[in-house]
Amino acid sequence: MILWKWEDLPDFMRTDEVRPYYEILNKRRGSLVLKRMMDLVGGLVLLIILAIPMAVIAVLIKLDSEGPVFYRQERITTYGKHFKIHKFRTMVSNADKIGTAVTVGNDSRITKIGAKLRGCRLDELPQVLDLISGDMSFVGTRPEAVKYVEKYKPEYYATLLLPAGITSEASIRYKDEAELLEAADDVDRVYIEEVLPGKMKYNLRSIMEFSFIGEIKTMFRTVFAVLGKDYSDEEQKSRV
């Protein structure tokens, strides 16, 4: 990816809170180029490999419930750009109209096949299309719904210096986010006031420590997390 000049950034991003993160990325432009190359080449290779499995999943979704194969909610990525994410639909077709933009553990809107897809994160396979287009990256802050970005604190906008990601350190630490929100009386409020700040701590730290090798490590950590490794108390252990 190409990092924009500071003066070309949207006004809401040209702040004192965002500037330190911009300066760090500006010194690591080589890693940013490698990052984009990996996303493009990796996305094309994955699209070829996953074409048949994705076709099978698409058929299973159509057989399981009425509605489209893909879920195309509007999300936010680099520099505040709006885009419609590609995900396999895992909920009933009118889910956005009968609940919140985040999902809780035993969400009644989730379909039978959707529950299985979510458990293995297979619902995110179509995001290879977003990798190729440049709207997303293998590693980066998970793309938030518009209404949550509108609640960002000034520092959080630094995460929009990079493309939204399929995975991230925050995703690894909060892989059970749905279960955390299950008992909340007001899911949106708890997400904005409690969950989002916790995730942003990791997202902002990832920018401060950004490197191409670091992103490769995060991808491997994601695989281990999906296979069952628990990273939730890793930070606490490191402080002992």
Side-chain angles (χ1 to χ4, degrees):
M1 63 165 290
I2 298 177
L3 185 66
W4 287 8
K5 293 180 179 180
W6 175 257
E7 56 270 23
D8 292 334
L9 296 182
D11 291 341
F12 70 90
M13 292 183 66
R14 280 188 283 115
T15 64
D16 292 339
E17 290 85 357
V18 172
R19 188 71 189 238
Y21 298 96
Y22 177 87
E23 295 299 340
I24 288 171
L25 294 177
N26 193 39
K27 295 176 182 178
R28 299 173 187 174
R29 289 178 176 267
S31 289
L32 291 174
V33 172
L34 291 175
K35 175 182 176 70
R36 177 55 189 151
M37 291 176 60
M38 179 177 68
D39 292 337
L40 180 58
V41 175
L44 290 171
V45 171
L46 283 175
L47 183 59
I48 295 172
I49 295 174
L50 297 174
I52 294 178
M54 287 172 62
V56 172
I57 292 174
V59 172
L60 292 175
I61 291 173
K62 294 297 290 185
L63 292 175
D64 183 51
S65 63
E66 295 182 357
V69 169
F70 295 114
Y71 172 68
R72 301 296 310 279
Q73 187 186 52
E74 189 173 47
R75 300 292 179 91
I76 305 295
T77 187
T78 327
Y79 309 126
K81 175 186 175 183
H82 292 230
F83 78 106
K84 288 191 174 181
I85 193 170
H86 288 85
K87 297 181 71 173
F88 280 127
R89 180 176 59 82
T90 60
M91 293 185 171
V92 294
S93 60
N94 62 338
D96 288 347
K97 299 178 181 179
I98 58 176
T100 66
V102 291
T103 311
V104 298
N106 295 319
D107 200 313
S108 61
R109 298 173 297 170
I110 300 176
T111 62
K112 291 181 180 179
I113 188 65
K116 297 182 183 299
L117 294 176
R118 282 174 172 269
C120 299
R121 297 185 70 171
L122 295 178
D123 58 314
E124 298 181 3
L125 292 182
Q127 289 171 31
V128 295
L129 300 174
D130 298 315
L131 285 176
I132 296 170
S133 70
D135 286 330
M136 291 186 67
S137 176
F138 277 114
V139 179
T141 300
R142 288 295 297 155
E144 293 284 2
V146 177
K147 70 175 184 177
Y148 295 134
V149 176
E150 291 174 348
K151 301 294 184 179
Y152 272 12
K153 295 178 181 179
E155 188 178 19
Y156 295 175
Y157 289 122
T159 61
L160 301 181
L161 291 169
L162 295 174
I166 292 176
T167 189
S168 65
E169 185 63 27
S171 298
I172 295 171
R173 303 299 184 103
Y174 282 82
K175 70 174 185 175
D176 298 321
E177 176 185 313
E179 285 70 26
L180 293 174
L181 293 170
E182 186 175 353
D185 294 328
D186 185 336
V187 175
D188 284 336
R189 181 188 62 77
V190 172
Y191 182 76
I192 293 170
E193 296 180 4
E194 299 180 25
V195 176
L196 185 59
K199 292 168 66 175
M200 278 298 176
K201 178 183 70 174
Y202 293 111
N203 291 330
L204 293 171
R205 181 188 299 172
S206 294
I207 299 177
M208 295 291 287
E209 300 173 354
F210 172 76
S211 71
F212 181 67
I213 297 301
E215 301 229 325
I216 299 296
K217 291 180 179 178
T218 298
M219 292 170 65
F220 276 106
R221 284 164 63 83
T222 299
V223 173
F224 294 142
V226 171
L227 293 176
K229 184 173 177 58
D230 183 13
Y231 289 101
S232 60
D233 63 346
E234 187 176 78
E235 183 166 316
Q236 286 79 359
K237 289 179 180 179
S238 67
R239 293 175 179 174
V240 176

